[in-house]
Amino acid sequence: MVVTGGPITHGFVEAQAMLDWLINHGVSEERILVEVQAQSVVDNARFTRTLLRHTESVTVVTSANHICQATVVCTLACGSHATGISAVSDPRTAMPNLLWTYRDAVTWFLE
């Protein structure tokens, strides 16, 4: 299992928050890989690919707002189809995230 996400507002590190939550909910720390440099969904996918070089499948767990974007980018990064599982999100923010999906797919091929 990989948690990924670097520092955001006020030094809050997304991956660390996810790690803490998983441990507090019974997941053994030894089963979790932590990536704390990513600053975007593209970074999340690239850095995760490095950690999971020999993995045949990927399941992405994120908010509903990010599931399409994250699944597309992880499929591109990992070379196999990524499956997505999402939590409920605010529907008012869905359209901007759909646009970011296209931006990230184009970014992937340009870099």
Side-chain angles (χ1 to χ4, degrees):
M1 177 178 311
V2 177
V3 292
T4 176
I8 56 173
T9 309
H10 308 296
F12 175 81
V13 178
E14 289 181 320
Q16 185 62 51
M18 290 182 271
L19 174 67
D20 294 344
W21 189 92
L22 288 167
I23 291 169
N24 289 333
H25 286 83
V27 177
S28 171
E29 188 170 0
E30 293 79 33
R31 297 183 63 203
I32 307 167
L33 299 173
V34 181
E35 185 290 303
V36 296
Q37 297 177 339
Q39 295 294 308
S40 69
V41 175
V42 171
D43 284 351
N44 293 132
R46 283 196 170 128
F47 296 146
T48 297
R49 176 186 62 190
T50 301
L51 294 172
L52 302 176
R53 287 219 181 264
H54 303 292
T55 300
E56 293 181 18
S57 64
V58 176
T59 301
V60 178
V61 180
T62 189
S63 66
N65 289 348
H66 288 112
I67 196 64
C68 182
Q69 178 184 18
T71 303
V72 167
V73 173
C74 283
T75 297
L76 292 170
C78 295
S80 62
H81 179 70
T83 302
I85 300 173
S86 67
V88 177
S89 294
D90 184 346
R92 295 173 293 177
T93 60
M95 181 50 88
N97 282 297
L98 190 55
L99 296 174
W100 293 330
T101 300
Y102 299 115
R103 179 205 61 199
D104 286 349
V106 169
T107 299
W108 180 263
F109 286 105
L110 292 177
E111 291 184 351

